[in-house]
């Protein structure tokens, strides 16, 4: 069976994001997938990229360069245990689902910290092996998130601009850079501002999409998809 890693960032299990995560676990498990969840808040995941991410001596003890040090540590198996555990989950996964509420036009800091710390050079990318030749090129990713604003607000003519503009740094700058193929994002607009019935419909729509997820084609990872 296929393996799925859900990287989940919400403080409250009973939240709508929590419900979306539960639906994904249930539906994908029904399909025979092996589903692993990294619940970042429950894990108290450390979002800060620091010297503590390297075990033992530094490559250059005179001047600390996080990118160089983690690259060297990855090559010699000297990254901290929490990073090695997350990298193992990523390595084993066919699909990465990122489940989160949109914060300030981006992902929550704890999830950005996961990206900063886990996707190190040597593991996820290594120039010139980036974008289509990134080291994670056999994997799929899907960003599933909620917004505070309505769908109309996130259009080209809306106050917040096209939602695709916000996806450029997350989907293209991180996932595609590492070679990951990106599926169309799953966006639940303003769940807090709609009826309970509408929220149930959103959860049903997510479950329905997951039933045929493996048949979907990734988006065309080019600037045109985001800015046309």
């Amino acid at each position: 069976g296929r393996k799925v890693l859900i990287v989940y960032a919400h403080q409250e299990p009973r939240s709508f994001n929590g419900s979306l995560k539960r639906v994904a676990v249930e539906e994908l498990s029904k399909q025979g997938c092996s589903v692993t969840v990294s619940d970042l808040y429950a894990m108290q995941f450390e979002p800060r990229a620091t010297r503590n991410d390297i075990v033992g001596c530094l490559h250059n003890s005179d001047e600390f360069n996080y990118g160089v040090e983690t690259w060297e540590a990855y090559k010699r198996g000297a990254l901290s245990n929490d990073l090695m555990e997350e990298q193992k989950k990523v390595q084993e996964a066919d699909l990465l689902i990122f489940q989160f509420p949109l914060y300030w036009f981006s992902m929550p800091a704890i999830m950005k910290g996961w990206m900063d710390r886990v996707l190190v050079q040597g593991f996820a990318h290594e120039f010139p092996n980036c974008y289509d030749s990134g080291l994670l090129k056999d994997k799929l990713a899907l960003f599933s998130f909620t917004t505070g604003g309505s769908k109309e607000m996130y259009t080209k003519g809306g106050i917040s601009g096209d939602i695709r503009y916000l996806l450029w740094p997350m989907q293209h700058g991180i996932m595609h850079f590492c070679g990951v193929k990106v599926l169309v994002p799953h966006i639940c607009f303003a769940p807090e501002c709609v009826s309970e019935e509408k929220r149930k419909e959103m959860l049903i729509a997510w479950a329905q999409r997951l039933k045929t997820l493996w048949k979907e084609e990734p988006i065309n990872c080019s600037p045109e998809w985001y800015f046309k």
Side-chain angles (χ1 to χ4, degrees):
R2 295 182 174 98
K3 294 192 174 184
V4 180
L5 171 62
I6 301 175
V7 183
Y8 165 68
H10 200 286
Q11 307 90 332
E12 174 52 64
R14 293 171 298 181
S15 65
F16 191 72
N17 272 274
S19 297
L20 288 163
K21 183 258 293 176
R22 273 194 304 280
V23 166
V25 171
E26 287 166 13
E27 179 54 43
L28 292 165
S29 297
K30 269 189 225 163
Q31 295 175 21
C33 297
S34 171
V35 184
T36 301
V37 178
S38 283
D39 184 339
L40 300 182
Y41 284 103
M43 292 159 64
Q44 297 188 324
F45 186 81
E46 170 59 78
R48 296 170 298 177
T50 70
R51 162 72 178 83
N52 294 335
D53 293 348
I54 296 99
V55 176
C57 298
L58 292 175
H59 177 68
N60 179 357
S61 56
D62 294 330
E63 184 177 346
F64 184 71
N65 180 315
Y66 185 82
V68 170
E69 292 297 341
T70 50
W71 184 22
E72 293 294 334
Y74 174 74
K75 288 190 283 190
R76 65 178 191 269
L79 288 172
S80 59
N81 283 339
D82 60 336
L83 294 195
M84 289 173 71
E85 284 169 17
E86 293 306 298
Q87 287 177 345
K88 186 170 185 283
K89 294 176 194 175
V90 171
Q91 198 71 62
E92 292 177 349
D94 300 297
L95 168 67
L96 311 170
I97 295 177
F98 297 95
Q99 182 65 60
F100 60 98
L102 197 68
Y103 278 8
W104 297 114
F105 281 25
S106 187
M107 63 186 83
I110 199 166
M111 184 174 280
K112 178 56 165 58
W114 185 95
M115 304 280 186
D116 291 348
R117 296 181 63 226
V118 175
L119 303 176
V120 302
Q121 187 169 352
F123 170 69
H125 57 90
E126 190 162 7
F127 190 81
N129 294 320
C130 47
Y131 291 114
D132 289 342
S133 59
L135 301 181
L136 302 180
K137 60 181 179 292
D138 297 326
K139 303 186 184 303
L140 290 169
L142 192 162
F143 284 77
S144 171
F145 60 95
T146 58
T147 68
S150 66
K151 190 172 185 177
E152 292 71 34
M153 290 173 70
Y154 290 101
T155 58
K156 273 190 181 164
I159 188 76
S160 300
D162 193 328
I163 193 75
R164 290 187 179 195
Y165 302 160
L166 314 187
L167 291 163
W168 172 255
M170 293 187 271
Q171 292 187 165
H172 185 78
I174 303 175
M175 286 294 109
H176 185 205
F177 185 81
C178 296
V180 181
K181 295 175 182 66
V182 181
L183 297 174
V184 171
H186 197 86
I187 309 167
C188 291
F189 289 96
E192 289 186 359
C193 304
V194 299
S195 66
E196 187 63 34
E197 191 59 39
K198 185 67 181 166
R199 282 195 289 275
K200 283 179 185 168
E201 287 172 17
M202 288 179 174
L203 295 174
I204 290 165
W206 177 222
Q208 286 300 118
R209 180 179 175 189
L210 289 164
K211 288 181 194 302
T212 57
L213 193 69
W214 301 104
K215 296 177 183 173
E216 291 186 17
E217 287 295 318
I219 65 169
N220 167 23
C221 272
S222 67
E224 286 73 31
W225 189 87
Y226 298 89
F227 302 110
K228 65 184 177 183

